[in-house]
Amino acid sequence: MKTQWHLFVAFFRVGMLGYGGGPASIPLVHKEVVGKYQWMDDSEFGDILALANTLPGPIATKMAGYIGYRVSGWIGLINAVMAVMIPTIFLMIVLLGSLTSVQGVGWVEGMTSAVMPVVGVMMAVLTWQFFNKARKGMGWIQTILFTIGVLVLLELLHVHPGIIIAVLLGAAILRKEPKNEEKKDAVKGGDEG
């Protein structure tokens, strides 16, 4: 019961504070599931995020569903998805009902503008964490070259991120592992050096 409550609170906060759309909710999900409740580590969160980006649909809902299922089975899945969706649906109904009366009010527009830098900083921190993880796995040069390549594909050639992630996942699955003897030689060479 305590786990269900924690799932509900975690994804309720994501749903209510994920201001600015799906990508803005990713740092919040990370903070809840990796930082606060420690249901998984950075590596697993990165894998889930990559896979969630390749699939259609809102990312916060997909991540809530998977993480809820992983933490507490089917009930956890339903609980997490309801927690991330239902409060914002009611909030939207209430706000749209009163939007016409506050649409041109200055403090409403100011509030919207003030939230954006906060979201930007949260996303920058998460980006640095992923970049640093890649650097530890591939080294500085490969990580920088890879980052530049992906940036060109996304921003200049307008390739959909799902295609890039699917190609990389396919390449990782099809990649040949070095034979055991080669691995032993590499380890032995590293020990001698």
Side-chain angles (χ1 to χ4, degrees):
M1 195 65 187
K2 190 175 178 182
T3 303
Q4 296 299 333
W5 173 246
H6 287 165
L7 270 173
F8 181 83
V9 170
F11 284 100
F12 178 82
R13 279 195 287 247
V14 170
M16 294 302 288
L17 301 174
Y19 196 84
S25 66
I26 293 169
L28 296 171
V29 175
H30 180 267
K31 186 167 183 61
E32 295 290 338
V33 304
V34 176
K36 186 172 176 64
Y37 293 109
Q38 299 178 344
W39 288 319
M40 60 189 61
D41 58 19
D42 282 325
S43 176
E44 189 175 0
F45 184 82
D47 294 341
I48 293 168
L49 180 61
L51 188 59
N53 268 322
T54 63
L55 300 173
I59 194 160
T61 310
K62 288 182 286 187
M63 293 188 79
Y66 176 78
I67 294 166
Y69 179 78
R70 187 184 170 282
V71 170
S72 186
W74 290 104
I75 294 175
L77 180 153
I78 294 167
N79 184 16
V81 170
M82 297 295 270
V84 83
M85 287 174 41
I86 296 295
T88 52
I89 291 171
F90 282 118
L91 194 60
M92 191 168 169
I93 291 169
V94 171
L95 287 177
L96 282 177
S98 58
L99 183 64
T100 51
S101 63
V102 296
Q103 198 168 18
V105 177
W107 67 267
V108 174
E109 294 174 1
M111 183 181 73
T112 304
S113 300
V115 168
M116 291 304 157
V118 176
V119 173
V121 169
M122 290 168 59
M123 293 186 76
V125 169
L126 191 61
T127 301
W128 170 249
Q129 288 173 349
F130 283 127
F131 183 86
N132 202 31
K133 181 186 167 196
R135 179 195 58 82
K136 288 177 183 170
M138 300 190 306
W140 276 109
I141 295 174
Q142 271 189 301
T143 302
I144 290 170
L145 291 175
F146 203 79
T147 302
I148 292 170
V150 171
L151 187 65
V152 168
L153 289 172
L154 289 174
E155 296 300 319
L156 297 180
L157 302 177
H158 304 291
V159 176
H160 191 279
I163 294 172
I164 297 171
I165 292 168
V167 168
L168 292 175
L169 287 174
I173 291 169
L174 297 175
R175 192 179 96 185
K176 288 184 178 176
E177 288 290 326
K179 293 179 182 175
N180 286 340
E181 292 176 13
E182 292 174 5
K183 283 183 182 177
K184 288 178 185 174
D185 290 342
V187 171
K188 191 175 179 181
D191 290 343
E192 290 172 355

